[in-house]
Amino acid sequence: MENLVRAFPVFLPGRYDIWKGMVNTMKVSPHILDGKRRIHFIGIGGSGMFPLAQILQGRGYQISGSDNNPGDTIDLERSMGMQVVIGQKAENLAGADAVIYSAAILEDNPELIAARASGLPVLERSELLGLITAQFYDCTAVCGTHGKTTATALLTHILLGCKKDPSAVIGGKLREIGGSGRVGKSSILAVEACEFCEHFLNLYPDLAVILNVDADHLDYYKNLENIIRAFHTFAGMASKCVIYNGDDSNTRQAVEGIEREKITFGLSPQNDYWAADAERCGVGYRYRLMRRSEPIAEVKTATPGAHNILNSLAALAAAIRLGCDPRQAAGLVESFGGAGRRFEILGVRGGVTIADDYAHHPKEIEATLRAARELGFRRVWAVHQPFTYSRTALLLQDFADALSIADRVVLSEIMGGREYNTYGVCTEDLAQRIEGCRWFPEFPEIARYVMDNAGEGDLVITLGCGDVYKCAKLMLEL
């Protein structure tokens, strides 16, 4: 226990008794990191792994890790003194006292096999995150099929601006904290809660924020009813309050019967917090923040897309519930430039604007491309890397419809991630459903084709949660 207290200084007076009462129901022993010094992360380059590595390093642990692909996150981790190697083999575990692995790691991974055989403590990422969330009085967990990284990052941005000194675990980089994780000294933790394989059920939220509920991860959940049931369970785990999208029918169904304080947000006046008189303003939107019938602040978003009105409403509702002044919190929204890989403008070459976005579900791609079309570019190019065979196969026509919003569509090979291709799906199956679509097996081919054919005034946006951002960088180099 002593090591956990040292690791997480927000182990506050009074919280110990509450947290100690959880021990009998926790899936992982709270003592599992006692006496440990070096923690090894398998898949340390993942967006969900980086903030946990940051937090543990910030509390004095030595961090090592491995990944199969180099990238910006790996470079940043190395610059912070973490020992990261490319390529995964059993020898990488030498000297480790505990091992963390991500959900993207397959069962035949040599490091995971060696870790389990070694007798070392081995935790899946969400199990470690659960241990961390249990330490906070005000763990605010932001979940939803879409938008949770942006909303969590914006909430963190507001809390920092309001001097609340939060800790944070975000699925994307936030400029103010130099990464995606932060250790603060207050009782507040803003954490992104992912529904993949019910991982968010490993957490211990005090405030649960539900942005939306949609059909995704159908290889695991099988149908929307099971997804709604999982969100219902998560909402019931909140010890204090559930903040949810009152305009989303699936979300309303998910919170039915939950006996907690409930706060709604949305675009319609029946919500507790809602946006009145929303209108386009620059790249974002301006609206009046209403608390039921009372106007309480003016809000201006600086990130593209009408969907970011809802993200800002969710973040503001949570921030106000956590004690932020409404006007101060609302004023901070305009200075939020977005999380990394969320409609991130990377540069302009030859009059062509190149951007990158994490969108990997049809609804997210639709929202991103509609936002892009609002910005007045001559043509919008969508360069998409499908992620996982199951999602591609099960939502094939939905992907085709969403991508067809763009003027030009270019596809890469499917990135299988954590899966084998038992569906027999390939990129050509998707390309055939999109008029004029082109596809190439390698990023250099895509980059060359796009830059040879895009013209002045065009926007090229790479889309996907894999490593398609590398293709955007190749375009900048060309």
Side-chain angles (χ1 to χ4, degrees), residues 366-394:
E366 177 183 354
T368 298
L369 291 178
R370 291 199 184 283
R373 295 200 71 89
E374 291 180 350
L375 298 179
F377 289 97
R378 186 174 72 100
R379 292 183 302 182
V380 174
W381 290 69
V383 177
H384 176 52
Q385 179 189 46
F387 186 76
T388 72
Y389 304 108
S390 59
R391 183 184 285 116
T392 306
L394 295 171

Side-chain angles (χ1 to χ4, degrees), residues 303-326:
T303 45
H307 58 287
N308 279 314
I309 297 177
L310 286 170
N311 289 333
S312 64
L313 285 167
L316 286 167
I320 293 167
R321 178 60 176 76
L322 289 166
C324 293
D325 175 77

Side-chain angles (χ1 to χ4, degrees), residues 2-53:
E2 180 183 351
N3 198 57
L4 265 176
V5 175
R6 185 171 63 250
F8 305 111
V10 288
F11 201 77
L12 300 173
R15 181 62 171 176
Y16 176 74
D17 290 336
I18 298 171
W19 184 75
K20 186 170 61 175
M22 299 177 183
V23 169
N24 290 335
T25 61
M26 293 181 77
K27 297 177 183 178
V28 176
S29 167
H31 302 283
I32 198 165
L33 295 183
D34 284 8
K36 307 299 185 291
R37 290 185 56 80
R38 181 177 155 205
I39 313 297
H40 183 82
F41 286 74
I42 308 174
I44 196 169
S47 60
M49 296 286 266
F50 180 33
L52 299 187

Side-chain angles (χ1 to χ4, degrees), residues 80-294:
M80 296 170 64
M82 300 181 192
Q83 302 172 28
V84 181
V85 297
I86 300 300
Q88 294 176 330
K89 52 189 178 181
E91 303 91 276
N92 293 339
L93 299 183
D97 297 312
V99 177
I100 315 299
Y101 69 97
S102 77
I105 301 303
L106 298 174
E107 289 296 313
D108 61 359
N109 181 282
E111 290 188 22
L112 184 57
I113 293 172
R116 287 173 171 164
S118 69
L120 294 173
V122 180
L123 297 177
E124 195 277 325
R125 173 200 174 268
S126 65
E127 294 173 327
L128 173 62
L129 183 57
L131 287 177
I132 294 173
T133 61
Q135 312 301 309
F136 292 81
Y137 278 122
D138 296 302
C139 171
T140 304
V142 181
C143 68
T145 311
H146 320 295
K148 49 188 172 284
T149 297
T150 295
T152 310
L154 176 53
L155 174 59
T156 303
H157 172 83
I158 292 170
L159 292 169
L160 287 169
C162 291
K163 309 301 182 186
K164 296 296 184 181
D165 195 16
S167 298
V169 177
I170 311 170
K173 297 183 182 71
L174 179 62
R175 183 178 61 253
E176 290 98 316
I177 64 176
S180 48
R182 180 182 193 272
V183 179
K185 296 180 180 179
S186 76
S187 66
I188 298 173
L189 169 67
V191 58
E192 180 174 336
C194 182
E195 75 279 9
F196 172 71
C197 289
E198 299 183 331
H199 284 172
F200 60 173
L201 302 187
N202 285 323
L203 309 186
Y204 295 89
D206 297 298
L207 283 70
V209 181
I210 306 179
L211 302 172
N212 43 65
V213 180
D214 203 351
D216 197 11
H217 305 299
L218 292 174
D219 55 319
Y220 176 81
Y221 286 106
K222 308 305 179 188
N223 56 54
L224 180 59
E225 288 71 26
N226 289 334
I227 297 171
I228 292 172
R229 190 175 297 114
F231 275 89
H232 176 82
T233 300
F234 181 76
M237 293 167 60
S239 68
K240 296 181 180 178
C241 177
V242 181
I243 300 170
Y244 67 96
N245 184 344
D247 292 340
D248 182 62
S249 60
N250 292 335
T251 302
R252 291 198 305 271
Q253 185 177 343
V255 302
E256 284 180 4
I258 300 298
E259 297 298 328
R260 297 286 187 279
E261 177 189 358
K262 293 179 182 178
I263 298 171
T264 60
F265 65 88
L267 302 179
S268 51
Q270 67 261 29
N271 292 292
D272 296 309
Y273 292 94
W274 58 284
D277 304 322
E279 60 181 3
R280 282 279 311 281
C281 181
V283 299
Y285 282 80
R286 176 189 290 118
Y287 66 87
R288 278 188 301 143
L289 176 63
M290 306 289 291
R291 181 158 51 196
R292 292 173 285 280
S293 61
E294 175 193 5

Side-chain angles (χ1 to χ4, degrees), residues 343-347 353-357 459-463 472 475:
F343 214 124
E344 184 177 5
I345 303 297
L346 301 180
T353 301
I354 298 171
D356 177 55
D357 193 272
L459 169 69
V460 177
I461 185 163
T462 52
L463 301 161
M475 294 179 204

